[in-house]
């Protein structure tokens, strides 16, 4: 079903066409020097993320997905895909309406769900599994066998680690596995969590891409662009653009979109919504801590009265 992963295989990119479409100088180094990164939209805001990877040409999304799979040496190379309806079907009135950032289908029927999450990490594991389950439940037709059902792959970009303890992986991949012999039980589920915060921390501490999990791979290159707002040395991004045409394409597209007044206003509204939600979540957590503190104090008072 899948081709084996070979490092020499790439999807071709028409770099000249993208530069012309975005009204950017033919000389790559010239337009890179002129970029004011402070004026660009933050790709971590889901609105901007969908503009770059979920609309129009699918070449950038294909490159990003292939980089993610290659990073874990998963034998899957995408050469074409279709971006489809991001809404997950509600099975009852009580179900929450789920809208994914990007939902794509491969030629073999595999569904890929991609989401950008800056906040609310506490419930993220469960939300991802629920999105997987709802999508997997949609895919099987009445006449088909369970064994022929294509897998569903969830890719989640997070602004924090999904790991507990000191060890924090930048890229975590989870499958259904036999806990005794460590053999994958089924390929139906594949969950990827990519920690942008740990990536940025590592890059800023080393002033380069090339150490540990940030060794210069295509995924590291994409992450450097996605997290560029927090990367201190912007020359890292410019150097990547010179070496990787796909990244240069994404930056040139981002420059054009960031100058569009209508899109800029929509982006700013979404950014405001996210900040407001973050404030609400923080206040809710503070209230929970305060309630727990009062509960313990109340228990101590009761224990003192009965002693």
């Amino acid at each position: 079903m899948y081709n084996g992963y070979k490092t020499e295989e790439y999807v071709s990119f028409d770099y000249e066409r993208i530069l012309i479409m975005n009204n950017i100088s033919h000389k790559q180094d010239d337009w890179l020097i002129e970029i004011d990164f402070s004026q660009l939209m933050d790709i971590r805001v889901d609105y901007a993320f969908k503009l770059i990877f979920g609309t129009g040409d699918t070449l950038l999304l294909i490159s990003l997905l292939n980089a993610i799979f290659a990073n874990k040496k998963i034998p899957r190379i995408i050469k074409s895909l279709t971006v489809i309806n991001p809404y997950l079907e509600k099975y009852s009135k009580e179900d929450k309406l789920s809208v994914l950032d990007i939902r794509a289908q491969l030629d073999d029927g595999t569904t890929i769900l991609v989401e950008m999450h800056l906040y609310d990490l506490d419930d993220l594991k469960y939300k991802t599994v629920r999105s997987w389950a709802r999508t997997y439940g949609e895919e099987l037709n009445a006449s088909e066998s369970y064994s022929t059902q294509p897998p569903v792959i969830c890719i989640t970009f997070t602004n924090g680690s999904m790991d507990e303890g000191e060890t924090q992986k930048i890229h975590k991949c989870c499958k259904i596995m036999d806990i005794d012999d460590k053999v994958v039980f089924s390929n139906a589920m594949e969950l990827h969590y990519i920690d942008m915060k740990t990536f940025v921390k590592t890059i800023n501490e080393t002033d380069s891409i090339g150490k540990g999990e940030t060794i210069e791979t295509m995924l590291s290159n994409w992450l450097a662009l996605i997290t560029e707002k927090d990367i201190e040395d912007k020359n890292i991004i410019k150097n990547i653009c010179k070496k990787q045409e796909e990244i240069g394409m994404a930056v040139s597209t981002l420059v054009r979109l960031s100058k569009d007044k209508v899109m800029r206003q929509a982006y700013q509204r979404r950014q405001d919504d996210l900040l407001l939600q973050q404030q609400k979540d923080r206040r809710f957590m503070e209230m929970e801590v305060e309630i727990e503190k009062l509960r313990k104090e109340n228990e101590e008072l009761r224990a003192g009265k009965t002693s």
Side-chain angles (χ1 to χ4, degrees), residues 1 75 172 186 194 201 296:
M1 183 177 292
K172 186 181 185 73
S186 170
I194 299 172
K201 182 175 181 290
K296 288 182 178 180

Side-chain angles (χ1 to χ4, degrees), residues 80 102 111 239:
S80 65
I102 298 172
T111 299
N239 290 334

Side-chain angles (χ1 to χ4, degrees), residues 99-161:
V99 185
L100 303 160
D101 289 337
I102 298 172
R103 183 180 185 182
Q105 195 164 57
L106 307 186
D107 295 339
D108 63 7
T110 297
T111 299
I112 301 180
L113 314 179
V114 186
E115 291 199 89
M116 176 67 66
H117 277 274
L118 291 180
Y119 314 116
D120 193 22
L121 295 183
D122 292 341
D123 295 332
L124 190 52
K125 290 180 184 178
Y126 311 104
K127 183 179 184 296
T128 306
V129 172
R130 182 169 175 78
S131 295
W132 171 86
R134 290 175 69 172
T135 306
Y136 195 70
E138 289 179 4
E139 299 300 324
L140 189 65
N141 296 320
S143 61
E144 294 177 337
S145 167
Y146 288 109
S147 62
T148 63
Q149 185 170 0
V152 172
I153 301 167
C154 298
I155 298 171
T156 308
F157 291 85
T158 70
N159 197 35
S161 177

Side-chain angles (χ1 to χ4, degrees), residues 199-217:
F199 175 82
V200 168
K201 182 175 181 290
T202 305
I203 294 299
N204 287 338
E205 286 176 350
T206 59
D207 293 322
S208 65
I209 290 180
K211 293 189 178 180
E213 271 196 275
T214 67
I215 189 169
E216 190 167 353
T217 62

